[in-house]
Amino acid sequence: MHMKHLHRHTLALLLILVLCPLALRAQGDARTRVRFVTNKGSFTIELYDDTPLHKERVLSHVAAHDYDGLLFHRVIRNFMVQAGGALHKGTKAGETRLEALSEETIPAEIVYPGHFHRRGTVAAARIGDEENPEKRSDGIQFFVNVGQFFLEKELLPYTKDSIAPMTDEIKKCYMLEGGVPHLDGRYTVFGEVVDGMNTILKIQSVETDGSDRPTRDVYIKSAKIIK
């Protein structure tokens, strides 16, 4: 890499660390990570320790191979990619089991402002507030946030949000990293992509139909705990 470009890269990193302190990836020495292999590439997520119920559920699904064959069934450009609502070439028995796993909801573990929907974070899907006022998470479905970058003036409405008022630090993160601020305080964020974000971007750029489902299956081949 050219030295001038190296200096620019270092400066950009320093700006993120100084201006966006909540985006620091440190989770302590012991980090639990899961590598997902898809037909579009692989990505690795790091699970947060302060959302233990979600962490335990993800690890149990990995051990049981529950993620193998799951589709990214909902993909919206500049928003997010969501997996776990259907199976790739699933059998009736497999679909029945998947439906049962979704019904095994998890109590919400919303740690805001500690975790918010910045680009690359992983959150649990759920049904709406009317049917689910406790904001309990789906038993297996998750989504990875992509979102977009914001100007400071575009974030002003969120600073007075009655559910999740936005701090100055979080505003800076959305300006520098991008994300989906309107979801803050409403869904459990339980991890983040630490490797393979290019795979997520590849998935979110695929062609979709009127229901936001990819016209060609995008699916998880396998999931494995890594150290």
Side-chain angles (χ1 to χ4, degrees):
M1 181 182 290
H2 193 283
M3 186 60 69
K4 182 183 292 184
H5 292 166
L6 178 61
H7 289 329
R8 289 176 181 173
H9 176 77
T10 304
L11 179 59
L13 178 59
L14 287 173
L15 283 173
I16 289 177
L17 295 178
V18 171
L19 297 178
C20 193
L22 293 178
L24 293 176
R25 274 43 175 182
Q27 287 287 314
D29 293 331
R31 300 178 181 181
T32 304
R33 295 181 173 182
V34 176
R35 182 172 182 262
F36 290 89
V37 178
T38 81
N39 64 326
K40 292 292 185 181
S42 63
F43 64 95
T44 300
I45 68 170
E46 184 170 302
L47 302 172
Y48 297 147
D49 291 332
D50 53 4
T51 51
L53 299 177
H54 287 71
K55 178 179 180 179
E56 180 182 358
R57 184 62 62 92
V58 170
L59 296 179
S60 68
H61 284 322
V62 173
H65 300 281
D66 291 331
Y67 291 117
D68 299 3
L70 289 190
L71 286 178
F72 281 90
H73 65 284
R74 186 168 178 246
V75 172
I76 303 177
R77 192 165 300 189
N78 297 323
F79 181 25
M80 58 87 210
V81 300
Q82 182 174 336
L87 279 171
H88 174 60
K89 298 180 180 178
T91 63
K92 185 174 181 180
E95 292 290 352
T96 301
R97 172 166 168 73
L98 182 59
E99 184 176 335
L101 290 173
S102 279
E103 291 175 351
E104 296 175 357
T105 59
I106 313 168
E109 295 180 295
I110 297 173
V111 186
Y112 185 86
H115 305 314
F116 51 98
H117 293 77
R118 58 181 172 79
R119 185 185 184 96
T121 50
V122 184
R126 66 175 179 85
I127 60 175
D129 289 351
E130 288 190 8
E131 300 175 75
N132 181 26
E134 296 179 348
K135 298 178 173 57
R136 293 179 66 92
S137 299
D138 187 279
I140 192 166
Q141 293 190 46
F142 67 90
F143 60 93
V144 181
N145 292 287
V146 177
Q148 56 188 321
F149 295 92
F150 290 82
L151 298 173
E152 185 172 10
K153 64 181 181 181
E154 294 173 326
L155 294 170
L156 287 178
Y158 301 106
T159 63
K160 300 177 181 179
D161 191 305
S162 60
I163 295 178
M166 185 178 292
T167 65
D168 288 341
E169 288 80 7
I170 293 175
K171 279 200 304 181
K172 291 171 183 174
C173 282
Y174 281 127
M175 293 167 65
L176 288 167
E177 295 189 40
V180 191
H182 74 270
L183 299 183
D184 287 344
R186 294 167 169 82
Y187 293 80
T188 297
V189 178
F190 62 84
E192 62 186 82
V193 175
V194 293
D195 184 54
M197 191 62 192
N198 59 318
T199 296
I200 301 300
L201 297 179
K202 187 183 297 184
I203 293 172
Q204 70 109 46
S205 67
V206 301
E207 182 181 352
T208 56
D209 61 20
S211 61
D212 300 317
R213 179 165 171 163
T215 55
R216 294 186 178 181
D217 281 357
V218 179
Y219 60 94
I220 298 170
K221 292 182 175 181
S222 64
K224 180 181 179 180
I225 300 169
I226 62 174
K227 302 297 182 182

